[in-house]
Amino acid sequence: MFNRNRFLRRVAAIASISLVAGCSLLSDGDADSEGPIVVGTTSAPSTLDPAGAWDGSWELYRNIYQTLLAYPNGATTPQPDAAESCSFTDSTSRTYRCKLRADMKFADGDPLNAEAVRHSIDRIRTIDAPGGPAGLLGSLDRVETSGAREIVFHLNQPDATFPFVLATPAMSIVDPDDYPANSLRKDNKVYGSGPYKIESYEEGKQAVLVSNGNYKGFAERQNDAVTIRYFQESSSMVKALRDKQIDVTYRGLAADDIVALQQHSTADLQLVDGAGTDISYLVFNPKDPWAKQPAVRKAIAQIIDRGAVAHKVYKDTVDPLYSMVPKGLTGHATGFFDDYGNPSVSKARKILSDAGITQRVPLTLWYTTDRYGSETALMFRELKRQLEDSGLFTITLKSRPWKTYVVGYQKGEYPVFGRGWFPDFPDADNFIAPFVGEHNALGTPYPSKEITGRLLPHSRAESDRAQTVKEVEQAQQIMVNDARLLPLWQGRQFVAASDDISGGEQALDPSTIMMMWMLHRKTSW
């Protein structure tokens, strides 16, 4: 997987590189008549099985699977998709009932019924895959079915965020005949019920999507087919866009390429610059002899110059972030700035010396080479420079591709490592809950009884999410005091496209996942 309040997806600014009247990414147009729309991204799926991924794989899932709830264009709260209706049936937010649309089918014609929904949810927890989304279901006690169309979710505690969880692509509905209850699928086949079905898939290269004639839901396809191409580098992706080999780029545009698109306009390209809620942060491993020491973590928090990272590395295409909850969300605070102020080597030295640390602290910082954009390596080199220039640290940098990187941090191999986070659903809860507790999305235990035992349960009992500010701010301050996680920057969303493509901004749901069915070519001007 959170603006939550941009709740979302209000465009901060629109920079159209095309100056032709009417050539806007936001304008309307007719359905495609020139073949599939080709979308480029640097975020390839890690698996095609929804029970195995809590990451950017969701981009593909949203388009080929269905969830009970999702976000129709313009919606900021979950609305029925595979479901005909959903609601809490009690005043304590502990029983949630959904009724499926009538005569639902998977793409291969198999019936999609209440049992398929129960199977899909239960297998997530049964498999409990490393890096999988089981952690999202912490408040779920059991799933019951009544007849072919009714599903009832019984929660073990009040949880007003549960509808948001059901709307995440992690809760995609799969066919029980094709998805084992106790293990992940190993092949590259998909049996979903979304707007598209996969015609072919080449891991790390492309996914060819065509219309699913059995689809029933809110999506109104504006095109008949989409091909998603996966790139390793932003530069090659942008070159493909300029060479008209692809029509749209989304995830993974590098800062230099964004700046070039902004500054060197062409007659046939357009760029949308929108608010975003993805974040980048460091994780400290409590098992490492140095990273486990609060003074070491706080000294790093005192030294890191986020403004320099945003300006020098990302060319101001991201914003400095001083809390795990990003700007724009209800309850956002600036605790790291409030407590540490501007970067200060002298303050960091005192933090260490007060803890009896007088030597240079040796640390290894890890990052992934192919997940969060081509600037990641540059950012870690800048972090190394800042820390070593202080005279207080000796930094070694190491990296791995995402698939092996995930295995490493789940095994606790990294003293300090970088992660990014895209919103699962639009609520500040999702920037706190996934990172705390013995079992979390980081694979690095972060027990915090005050957060998990009091603040989150109290917040989740409140159906009016605007009334959770106090709990959210208190949780953020605990995270500042612990300094187990160090926020670095908050992203913005950039979509670049050929000038004959419409629907780009409408295609982004509140969790900034692209709904490919909104894209289409303009056939008249």
Side-chain angles (χ1 to χ4, degrees), residues 54 135-136 421 425 428-437 439-441 451-452 456 460 479:
W54 195 350
L136 285 169
W421 189 253
F425 56 84
D429 180 282
N430 198 230
F431 283 95
I432 299 172
F435 309 133
V436 296
H439 303 284
N440 58 47
I451 295 178
T452 60
L456 287 178
R460 288 172 173 175
M479 298 172 90

Side-chain angles (χ1 to χ4, degrees), residues 21-322:
C23 295
S24 166
L25 201 60
L26 304 180
S27 60
D28 295 326
D30 299 329
D32 290 297
S33 59
E34 301 177 29
I37 296 211
V38 184
V39 178
T41 176
T42 62
S43 184
S46 58
T47 173
L48 296 186
D49 191 327
W54 195 350
D55 58 27
S57 305
W58 289 8
E59 195 91 58
L60 181 60
Y61 299 169
R62 176 61 79 203
N63 293 277
I64 58 177
Y65 294 106
Q66 252 183 310
T67 46
L68 290 170
L69 302 167
Y71 299 93
N73 183 34
T76 58
T77 56
Q79 305 296 319
D81 185 14
E84 179 180 274
S85 61
C86 288
S87 64
F88 282 106
T89 62
D90 63 336
S91 60
T92 62
S93 300
R94 293 188 61 162
T95 305
Y96 196 72
R97 175 186 176 275
C98 289
K99 184 178 181 179
L100 286 170
R101 295 175 186 263
D103 301 320
M104 294 288 289
K105 295 179 181 179
F106 290 101
D108 63 355
D110 285 354
L112 191 166
N113 52 29
E115 176 56 28
V117 176
R118 185 202 61 76
H119 172 85
S120 302
I121 303 299
D122 282 350
R123 69 189 295 267
I124 293 173
R125 297 195 299 173
T126 299
I127 296 170
D128 195 13
L136 285 169
L137 294 171
S139 65
L140 178 62
D141 180 27
R142 67 189 189 280
V143 185
E144 290 184 343
T145 61
S146 177
R149 295 175 59 192
E150 184 174 308
I151 309 100
V152 180
F153 300 91
H154 298 277
L155 308 184
N156 53 37
Q157 59 184 306
D159 186 1
T161 71
F162 190 71
F164 292 96
V165 172
L166 289 180
T168 68
M171 305 300 139
S172 295
I173 305 168
V174 299
D175 191 337
D177 290 343
D178 301 299
Y179 290 78
N182 302 309
S183 62
L184 298 176
R185 288 182 63 100
K186 303 299 183 183
D187 57 25
N188 286 332
K189 295 182 179 180
V190 168
Y191 296 90
S193 61
Y196 300 97
K197 59 184 178 181
I198 286 188
E199 185 174 79
S200 65
Y201 179 78
E202 297 177 78
E203 184 174 353
K205 294 183 179 180
Q206 71 175 18
V208 177
L209 313 184
V210 296
S211 296
N212 172 17
N214 288 331
Y215 171 73
K216 288 185 178 181
F218 65 74
E220 296 181 3
R221 283 186 300 266
Q222 301 298 306
N223 60 69
D224 293 326
V226 172
T227 295
I228 306 173
R229 287 185 55 192
Y230 301 112
F231 293 83
Q232 293 294 318
E233 298 288 340
S234 170
S235 57
S236 58
M237 184 169 65
V238 172
K239 183 178 186 301
L241 178 66
R242 293 187 182 279
D243 293 344
K244 300 186 182 302
Q245 296 173 353
I246 63 176
D247 300 300
V248 182
T249 67
Y250 181 39
R251 298 263 188 226
L253 279 174
D256 285 342
D257 291 319
I258 293 170
V259 171
L261 287 168
Q262 290 172 330
Q263 294 179 346
H264 304 290
S265 62
T266 63
D268 56 357
L269 291 179
Q270 53 185 317
L271 181 73
V272 166
D273 174 358
T277 51
D278 57 301
I279 67 172
S280 177
Y281 56 98
L282 295 179
V283 183
F284 295 91
N285 187 346
K287 296 181 181 179
D288 180 77
W290 288 107
K292 73 178 182 181
Q293 299 188 48
V296 170
R297 304 194 299 264
K298 292 178 180 181
I300 292 175
Q302 186 63 74
I303 291 171
I304 294 299
D305 187 340
R306 296 167 175 80
V309 170
H311 180 68
K312 294 172 63 175
V313 177
Y314 290 93
K315 317 297 184 186
D316 298 317
T317 60
V318 303
D319 299 313
L321 182 63
Y322 298 93

